[in-house]
Amino acid sequence: MKTEIFGMPLHRLQTALAELGLKKFRAKQIFDWLYQKCVFDFAQMSNLGKAERQLLQDCFSVLPAEIQIVRKMDSSDGLTRKALLELPDGNAIETVLMHHDYGYSVCVSSQVGCDMHCAFCASGLNGAVRNLTVAEILAQLYVFQAQLHLQNERVSRVVVMGSGEPMLNFDAVFGALQFLHQPDVGNIGYRNMTVSTCGIIPGIKKMQGLGLPVNLAISLHAVRNELRSELMPVNKGYPFPDVIAAAEEYAASSGRQVTYEYILLADKNDSDRDAELLAEYLRYKQAGVNLIPVNPVPEKGFFRPAEKRIERFLSILQRHRLHATVRREMGKDINAACGQLRAAFAKDNESKKQ
């Protein structure tokens, strides 16, 4: 069985090569091919000898070369590209490339599916299958990085906001981020990385313990206890006031403002009273609010509020001097909300089996 080389630390690669009788300096050459040139085929690594390339081919696999892009969609404005990736074991995950005025960011998934069962989200329609490995998290970014490399562009930001709960796959998520931070890999600064959680407090505390200035985003979505438990069952185990307290501790220790994501659902959590409560809970906190008008998921039955209602909600937060914005919608026409493309893919596969 071949050993997966993608995401393998340099020192481990050096040891693995030495065990095969290859010089350790070859490891740095391979790193350059994989992470700078985005070449995932040993046969194309021209500064390695033919026999060495064959030996590497026989002993190692390179995950990006084995991933199949089963669906790829581009938004009409050309700023968002979404890919559904089929892994070697047949599971599908999705990742999104977004072009901003400051560069390119990639939104990656941390799990195949999700077990959080948020009422408005497509990611959990089929539950969680398994955690992703470090290599699988990295490969999502490098699928796009390989395309950008041809344009002399690169990914400069990564957000772990795709399918799955990152704090339930903590070691792999932060292993991938620390790997991407290395100058000879992605050279992405920690301040250009964001991890979003539904509010898994032990994970927030563990993240704090790492001492890295990674941005923390909290999926809040309601500040009435019964409503949040209805929308997000995780609230029963980790009530939102405790989550806010843990996030504020993280903000104080990291020096990074926490972003609270609040999805706006028509006639559900978008009232004036909801806005007043949200402002009250976040008053004097190192916090910003990202309002997200729902990207409708037909299976869930939620709808987007009217524009006047969105503006009213925003104005109430701003009147209370809370930094708040409405998320710029990217990729709405290509089902760029978490889990929608994978859910459609799974539904198609089920139809074919019947």
Side-chain angles (χ1 to χ4, degrees):
M1 185 174 176
K2 293 184 179 182
T3 300
E4 180 54 55
I5 199 174
F6 206 70
M8 184 183 290
L10 183 62
H11 69 276
R12 277 186 52 203
L13 180 56
Q14 290 172 333
T15 300
L17 294 184
E19 289 173 352
L20 294 175
L22 300 180
K23 299 293 185 183
K24 284 188 175 182
F25 75 86
R26 293 297 190 196
K28 288 191 175 182
Q29 292 177 318
I30 294 169
F31 249 56
D32 185 61
W33 283 109
L34 293 177
Y35 307 115
Q36 302 304 313
K37 297 184 174 72
C38 299
V39 170
F40 310 125
D41 180 359
F42 292 116
Q44 295 179 34
M45 298 182 182
S46 55
N47 57 354
L48 279 65
K50 186 175 181 181
E52 292 173 317
R53 282 179 271 167
Q54 187 58 55
L55 182 60
L56 292 168
Q57 185 69 46
D58 293 341
C59 296
F60 298 111
S61 56
V62 184
L63 185 61
E66 300 184 344
I67 287 178
Q68 299 295 319
I69 302 177
V70 292
R71 289 188 183 175
K72 185 170 67 175
M73 304 175 75
D74 292 289
S75 62
S76 56
D77 60 12
L79 298 177
T80 307
R81 173 171 295 174
K82 185 165 190 174
L84 184 70
L85 311 176
E86 187 173 0
L87 302 172
D89 68 355
N91 279 305
I93 56 176
E94 52 189 66
T95 184
V96 181
L97 174 72
M98 291 162 284
H99 189 187
H100 309 272
D101 53 6
Y102 54 75
Y104 289 91
S105 67
V106 169
C107 178
V108 301
S109 296
S110 55
Q111 297 177 306
V112 179
C114 185
D115 265 342
M116 291 294 96
H117 302 294
C118 297
F120 47 80
C121 183
S123 295
L125 288 174
N126 301 302
V129 178
R130 65 172 176 84
N131 284 337
L132 296 178
T133 65
V134 169
E136 289 167 339
I137 295 169
L138 292 171
Q140 294 175 67
L141 184 143
Y142 270 90
V143 163
F144 289 126
Q145 184 62 61
Q147 299 168 16
L148 293 176
H149 181 72
L150 301 174
Q151 308 166 27
N152 292 317
E153 299 277 7
R154 60 182 287 272
V155 175
S156 59
R157 293 178 183 245
V158 58
V159 293
V160 190
M161 290 186 178
S163 297
E165 167 51 60
M167 298 305 185
L168 297 183
N169 189 18
F170 189 95
D171 291 344
V173 166
F174 283 90
L177 295 181
Q178 288 172 290
F179 194 78
L180 281 169
H181 177 69
Q182 296 174 204
D184 55 357
V185 183
N187 196 31
I188 300 176
Y190 288 126
R191 293 172 186 271
N192 290 330
M193 298 177 177
T194 301
V195 174
S196 176
T197 176
C198 290
I200 308 296
I201 293 175
I204 297 172
K205 293 185 179 298
K206 196 173 180 181
M207 182 175 171
Q208 183 177 339
L210 289 178
L212 306 175
V214 174
N215 298 299
L216 174 64
I218 302 292
S219 293
L220 191 57
H221 308 316
V223 283
R224 285 183 278 137
N225 208 50
E226 287 186 11
L227 177 59
R228 189 167 192 266
S229 292
E230 176 190 333
L231 296 176
M232 304 179 70
V234 70
N235 190 66
K236 297 170 187 175
Y238 301 108
F240 75 86
D242 296 342
V243 174
I244 292 173
E248 185 65 7
E249 284 184 20
Y250 180 80
S253 68
S254 67
R256 307 299 291 162
Q257 176 178 279
V258 174
T259 297
Y260 290 87
E261 297 164 319
Y262 192 100
I263 196 161
L264 287 169
L265 308 166
D267 302 320
K268 197 75 175 177
N269 67 348
D270 63 341
S271 70
D272 286 7
R273 179 59 181 152
D274 286 307
E276 295 283 354
L277 280 172
L278 181 58
E280 191 173 311
Y281 273 106
L282 297 184
R283 195 190 311 275
Y284 308 124
K285 302 290 193 299
Q286 296 183 60
V289 177
N290 192 10
L291 298 175
I292 310 164
V294 67
N295 201 353
V297 179
E299 299 90 340
K300 299 294 187 176
F302 291 111
F303 300 95
R304 176 192 173 103
E307 287 302 317
K308 285 187 177 180
R309 170 50 32 197
I310 295 170
E311 291 170 8
R312 170 75 177 170
F313 198 99
L314 176 64
S315 69
I316 291 172
L317 298 183
Q318 291 175 336
R319 190 173 70 236
H320 285 281
R321 299 184 179 180
L322 197 62
H323 177 68
T325 57
V326 177
R327 176 182 289 180
R328 177 187 175 195
E329 292 185 276
M330 300 186 73
K332 183 179 178 182
D333 59 322
I334 57 169
N335 291 336
C338 299
Q340 289 187 310
L341 192 55
R342 177 177 174 271
F345 178 72
K347 189 174 181 180
D348 288 348
N349 281 350
E350 283 299 314
S351 298
K352 291 174 184 176
K353 291 177 184 177
Q354 294 173 357

